[in-house]
Amino acid sequence: MNKLTQKSAKIIAEKYFKKLHGKEEQDFAIIHSEAVVEVATILAKKYKADVNTVITAGWVHDIGYAIEKPMHAKHSVDLLKKEGFEITQPVEECILNHGTDGKPVSKEAKILQMADKLSIINISILKLLFKQKNILPEDIEFMIKMATGAIEHIKKIDF
């Protein structure tokens, strides 16, 4: 088994994001993951959490979308194992609990979940959205859900 590092996580993310449908979806996945990594790094440093864990998990938390949207977090872990990577328990917890319904326990998993929501407040993501010919109602609903989640997470910051 190979050790999952920050570098290998980024490479794997780029590989699986290329399998997503359409350029916009691929671009969104990369921009989103970059933003998650950036926000998670800032929060991990501020709250003295393990930076390596949140960066590594931040890159690969959404690769499961290459299989399907429902249960994408579990698919992300399964894909990493299929690729022959050893996943530490803290990284696995981050990946499995990053969604709105996740129940993170560790400081790192809480940070990744928060970073996942806060990442939507990002000029690159907004540019990508507004570059589309038509902004679909489901895109608007997704932005509202993510922005609302981000605000709720900001209110609950308490590590």
Side-chain angles (χ1 to χ4, degrees):
M1 291 210 128
N2 299 318
K3 183 175 180 186
L4 184 65
T5 63
Q6 292 176 27
K7 184 178 180 180
S8 60
K10 183 177 181 183
I11 291 167
I12 289 294
E14 290 169 345
K15 172 184 173 178
Y16 280 98
F17 293 154
K18 286 179 184 171
K19 296 179 181 204
L20 297 175
H21 304 290
K23 179 133 174 62
E24 284 100 10
E25 206 172 307
Q26 294 169 8
D27 290 347
F28 175 82
I30 286 288
I31 291 168
H32 167 65
S33 293
E34 287 171 346
V36 168
V37 166
E38 186 175 4
V39 172
T41 300
I42 292 165
L43 292 171
K45 287 178 180 177
K46 177 171 178 60
Y47 294 105
K48 297 177 179 34
D50 185 56
V51 175
N52 183 59
T53 294
V54 299
I55 291 173
T56 302
W59 279 117
V60 295
H61 74 283
D62 278 344
I63 64 171
Y65 277 119
I67 295 177
E68 66 173 350
K69 187 174 182 174
M71 298 180 58
H72 74 276
K74 181 174 179 339
H75 291 307
S76 295
V77 171
D78 292 344
L79 286 171
L80 290 168
K81 289 178 180 176
K82 181 181 166 192
E83 289 280 344
F85 285 102
E86 177 186 329
I87 308 164
T88 64
Q89 187 280 329
V91 168
E92 186 168 347
E93 183 197 356
C94 287
I95 294 168
L96 292 175
N97 289 287
H98 77 271
T100 305
D101 297 332
K103 303 281 188 253
V105 175
S106 71
K107 190 184 295 187
E108 290 77 13
K110 289 176 183 178
I111 284 170
L112 192 76
Q113 185 186 53
M114 185 178 298
D116 185 56
K117 306 306 167 250
L118 292 171
S119 70
I120 205 66
I121 304 170
N122 177 309
I123 193 66
S124 296
I125 289 174
L126 293 174
K127 281 181 186 175
L128 187 63
L129 178 69
F130 292 122
K131 197 165 79 172
Q132 296 179 64
K133 186 174 182 176
N134 296 312
I135 300 174
L136 301 172
E138 54 263 29
D139 293 335
I140 303 281
E141 287 303 314
F142 175 74
M143 295 293 285
I144 290 168
K145 178 181 173 187
M146 292 296 281
T148 303
I151 292 165
E152 290 304 313
H153 276 77
I154 290 170
K155 288 196 262 185
K156 293 191 279 187
I157 291 180
D158 181 24
F159 297 113

